[in-house]
Structures are given as structure tokens and as C-alpha cells.
Amino acid sequence: MSLSTSLTNHFLIAMPGLQDPNFSRTVTYICEHSAQGAMGIVINRPMDLRLGDVLEQLDIEPQRPEISNQIVYLGGPVQTDRGFVIHSGPETFDSTLSVTPDLRVTTSRDVLEAIASGKGPELCLVALGYAGWTSGQLEEELSANAWLSGPADNETLFRRPASARLQAAAQLIGIDINLLIGEAGHA
């Protein structure tokens, strides 16, 4: 796979025909895509869980109430007991993957401690679980018209409400997701 075909730092937008309950009507931020496979975080599935609940389980005391109220997302069906924080900034923590020069994914406790203390990244999204694809699997799903893909942006990733992210991600590539049909045509 060449760098030009990597979908790292892209959104995967579920096509209407994608019926898998784990991914139906989702937007997934691709954190890593290589010949070995891909890893992403679903960014529009809020859970009935807040960051305060997660911090409490880890015995971390948030310094401000708004930190506790931050939404936690279901990032995908793999390792749903593990936290993933997509965040802005040059900071790296104990276990951080640099996606771009300004975006990272961290899985270590120290990022949550920084967020709780009010000294964390300016922009962040906390998720439990991730989506993973083996070598060639994502490419097969794209060929089968299960997904659209397009470049990610911080506005959709961090600032839009979860309910608006699917349409916003599709609009980035000039598509109204509501006008798409569920079946693919093959000539």
C-alpha cells in the first residue's frame, strides 16, 4: 500500500446499505491504515456514560464539573473495555500514536489525568473500544460499496454534535447522505 492510498486521517462514512449493527449509520475516524490493516474509532455513537463515570472508576478526580459531563463514545466492537482518546496538540503521553502532526490517539491513563486536571489537550474525544480491519479487509469493504471515505476535519471530529457528524462528514465530500439508496448498482 502506498502513502497515497492510505486512509489514515480520513472518515469512513457508512453507506445506507451497511446493515452491520456495529457500523450502521456511523462515521469512523481512521487512526491508522497500512498494508497490515486498519484501526479506527467510531465518532458518532454516544454512550449512556460520561467521562466522570470513567474517571471515577479509575479513581481520578476531575477539577471542573464540565469535564465530568463530557460524552464517552462507543468507538467500535473491539476491546470495549479499553479507552481511546483522540486529541489535538503536540503532547504525547505514555501510549500515543501520532496520526498527523496535530492529532494523536492515546490509550494510557496519563491523558485522562491531564484532562481531569484541566491541563489536557484543547480538543479531545473519549471512546471505549475501536474498529479494526485485517490486511485487505477494509479495501474489500470499500469495493463492495459499504463505505464512503473522505478527509477528516476537526470541526466534524470534535465540535459537531454526534447526531450531525454523519451528514457533516458526507458533506465534506459533497454528498447528502440522506439522498443515497441502500443498494449498489454494478454495470
Side-chain angles (χ1 to χ4, degrees):
M1 166 178 300
S2 71
L3 189 57
S4 64
T5 59
S6 173
L7 294 178
T8 299
N9 193 41
H10 279 69
F11 289 136
L12 278 186
I13 304 154
M15 288 290 286
L18 182 58
Q19 298 301 312
D20 181 333
N22 293 307
F23 297 107
S24 177
R25 300 202 44 82
T26 61
V27 177
T28 304
Y29 177 68
I30 299 298
C31 306
E32 187 171 38
H33 183 214
S34 69
Q36 288 72 44
M39 180 263 189
I41 309 278
V42 175
I43 64 163
N44 67 328
R45 286 265 168 95
M47 299 177 74
D48 288 330
L49 191 66
R50 296 291 184 251
L51 185 54
D53 301 321
V54 173
L55 296 174
E56 184 179 323
Q57 289 177 10
L58 297 171
D59 291 322
I60 300 172
E61 185 69 35
Q63 298 303 306
R64 296 187 320 262
E66 65 271 13
I67 293 168
S68 292
N69 292 326
Q70 185 173 330
I71 295 169
V72 175
Y73 293 85
L74 179 58
V78 182
Q79 292 187 339
T80 55
D81 59 340
R82 187 168 177 198
F84 296 81
V85 180
I86 304 170
H87 59 90
S88 64
E91 304 93 356
T92 58
F93 297 91
D94 288 342
S95 182
T96 298
L97 167 71
S98 291
V99 180
T100 73
D102 297 318
L103 285 178
R104 294 162 185 6
V105 178
T106 297
T107 58
S108 50
R109 175 187 174 100
D110 55 342
V111 71
L112 293 174
E113 290 169 341
I115 292 167
S117 72
K119 298 176 183 160
E122 177 187 348
L123 301 171
C124 68
L125 181 144
V126 178
L128 295 178
Y130 72 93
W133 293 265
T134 59
S135 178
Q137 183 182 5
L138 180 54
E139 291 79 4
E140 287 176 22
E141 291 179 13
L142 286 161
S143 326
N145 297 313
W147 303 100
L148 293 171
S149 66
D153 77 321
N154 285 355
E155 180 68 26
T156 304
L157 183 59
F158 296 114
R159 293 186 177 100
R160 292 211 187 258
S163 61
R165 290 179 178 162
L166 179 65
Q167 182 63 25
Q171 285 177 335
L172 288 171
I173 55 174
I175 293 181
D176 182 344
I177 199 79
N178 298 312
L179 298 179
L180 296 179
I181 57 172
E183 296 86 34
H186 294 283

